[in-house]
């Protein structure tokens, strides 16, 4: 046997070995699957259907072609959705709800059979809108703000109960946004303006009442003063009035004497005399 034939045989054997190893590796790889942390696997068997038991984390064996794994993420995930709902007094409000959900691990096979892998996207928006509309319809528009903790508690309890029917666990439910329609906002603004106008009218009425009382008291005081003066005049004659005139004239003369700009014009000549010539 020549060297060329030996080399050809060696290459042939190596190729056969590599092919066998490749086939074996592919077969081994098709018999293994890995479940990462925070995940669970549901096995579908072509003869038995979906197996009731879930598979935990790690690398596991399966029968190629006969069995197929479906991986579920069992970690808590956030979901946000909005709903426009009507209140008890027929006002429209826009609410945004945030929930933290995860599947019930012991019922993963049932979830896979009824809802599939996208169970949360199929269930949570629909039941969330249903619960929001049912709860909001029990309150007036203003109560959604004044009784917000009570409203949130009702939404949380109702939504947790509804999600449990679909084997979904809700770790948290919260109303993150609440806004009213344009009509309600306009009505609130008009109500505030009306309240301000009412307060202003009340103030005007109170002011007029106080002015009326002050006028009455002032008139009564003037009437009492006039009566006292009349009584004094009747008792003592006109002497009191003459005395008041003299006192007034005296005060006027003193005031004019202190003013340097006051001059007198005598009637008998053309000279101007200052009251205070020394200034």
């Amino acid at each position: 046997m020549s060297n060329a034939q030996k080399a050809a045989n060696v290459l042939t054997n190596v190729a056969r070995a590599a092919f066998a190893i490749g086939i074996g590796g592919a077969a081994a790889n098709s018999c293994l699957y890995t479940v990462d942390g925070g995940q669970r696997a549901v096995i579908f068997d072509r003869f038995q259907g979906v197996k009731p038991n879930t598979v935990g984390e790690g690398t596991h064996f399966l029968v190629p072609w006969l069995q197929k794994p479906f991986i579920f993420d069992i970690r808590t995930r956030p979901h946000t959705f909005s709903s426009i709902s009507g209140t008890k007094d027929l006002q429209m409000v826009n609410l945004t709800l945030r929930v933290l959900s995860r599947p019930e691990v012991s019922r993963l096979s049932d979830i896979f059979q009824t809802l599939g892998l996208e169970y949360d996207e199929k269930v949570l928006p629909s039941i969330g809108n249903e619960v929001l509309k049912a709860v909001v319809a029990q309150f007036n528009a203003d109560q959604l703000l004044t009784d917000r903790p009570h409203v949130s508690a009702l939404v949380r309890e109702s939504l947790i109960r509804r999600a449990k029917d679909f084997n979904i666990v809700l770790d948290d439910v919260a109303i993150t946004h609440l806004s009213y329609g344009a009509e309600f906002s306009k009505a609130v603004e008009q109500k505030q303006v009306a309240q301000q106008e009412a307060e202003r009218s009340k103030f005007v009425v109170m002011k007029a009442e106080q002015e009326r009382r002050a006028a009455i008291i002032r008139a009564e005081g003037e009437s009492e003063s006039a009566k006292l003066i009349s009584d004094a005049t009747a008792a003592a004659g006109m002497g009191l009035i003459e005395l008041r005139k003299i006192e007034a004239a005296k005060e006027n003369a003193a005031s004019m004497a202190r003013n340097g700009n006051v001059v007198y014009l005598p009637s008998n000549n053309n000279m101007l005399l200052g009251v205070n010539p020394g200034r």
Side-chain angles (χ1 to χ4, degrees), residues 154-167:
L154 285 179
V155 171
R156 183 182 302 108
E157 293 173 1
S158 301
L159 196 56
I160 289 176
R161 185 169 56 252
R162 289 287 289 122
K164 190 175 182 181
D165 296 337
F166 297 92
N167 302 311

Side-chain angles (χ1 to χ4, degrees), residues 108-119:
L108 282 179
S109 58
D110 296 333
I111 294 176
F112 179 72
Q113 287 178 313
T114 56
L115 299 172
L117 295 175
E118 301 298 330
Y119 62 93

Side-chain angles (χ1 to χ4, degrees), residues 202-247:
K202 182 179 178 181
F203 172 75
V204 171
V205 171
M206 293 176 62
K207 181 179 178 182
E209 179 66 19
Q210 293 298 328
E211 290 178 350
R212 185 184 66 82
R213 292 182 180 179
I216 292 174
I217 294 173
R218 185 165 54 249
E220 291 176 351
E222 292 175 354
S223 176
E224 184 68 21
S225 176
K227 183 177 182 300
L228 292 175
I229 293 174
S230 177
D231 293 343
T233 303
M238 300 299 292
L240 178 61
I241 296 178
E242 294 296 331
L243 177 61
R244 291 289 185 264
K245 288 182 178 179
I246 294 172
E247 291 176 351

Side-chain angles (χ1 to χ4, degrees), residues 110-186:
D110 296 333
I111 294 176
F112 179 72
Q113 287 178 313
T114 56
L115 299 172
L117 295 175
E118 301 298 330
Y119 62 93
D120 47 0
E121 298 296 335
K122 296 178 181 178
V123 172
L124 292 179
S126 60
I127 65 174
N129 278 279
E130 174 192 351
V131 169
L132 280 177
K133 292 182 184 298
V135 172
V136 170
Q138 303 176 26
F139 297 88
N140 291 330
D142 56 343
Q143 291 178 316
L144 295 179
L145 290 177
T146 57
D147 294 341
R148 184 163 180 169
H150 181 48
V151 175
S152 297
L154 285 179
V155 171
R156 183 182 302 108
E157 293 173 1
S158 301
L159 196 56
I160 289 176
R161 185 169 56 252
R162 289 287 289 122
K164 190 175 182 181
D165 296 337
F166 297 92
N167 302 311
I168 298 175
V169 179
L170 300 183
D171 293 326
D172 184 60
V173 179
I175 298 176
T176 59
H177 177 72
L178 172 63
S179 62
Y180 295 96
E183 294 182 357
F184 182 78
S185 301
K186 185 178 180 180

Side-chain angles (χ1 to χ4, degrees), residues 68-106:
K68 183 179 180 180
F70 291 90
I71 307 300
F72 277 85
D73 189 348
I74 63 171
R75 291 169 291 191
T76 300
R77 294 189 295 176
H79 299 274
T80 302
F81 48 88
S82 300
S83 174
I84 299 177
S85 307
T87 61
K88 188 177 181 179
D89 54 353
L90 304 181
Q91 298 294 335
M92 302 306 295
V93 294
N94 184 12
L95 298 101
T96 300
L97 196 65
R98 180 190 61 83
V99 300
L100 299 178
S101 67
R102 56 185 174 85
E104 190 174 346
V105 178
S106 61

Side-chain angles (χ1 to χ4, degrees), residues 53-70:
N53 297 325
T54 59
V55 181
E57 302 167 358
T59 301
H60 308 275
F61 290 96
L62 57 76
V63 179
W65 183 84
L66 184 63
Q67 295 178 331
K68 183 179 180 180
F70 291 90

Side-chain angles (χ1 to χ4, degrees), residues 32-35 41-44 62 67-71:
L32 299 175
Y33 67 96
T34 300
V35 179
V42 174
I43 303 300
F44 172 73
L62 57 76
Q67 295 178 331
K68 183 179 180 180
F70 291 90
I71 307 300

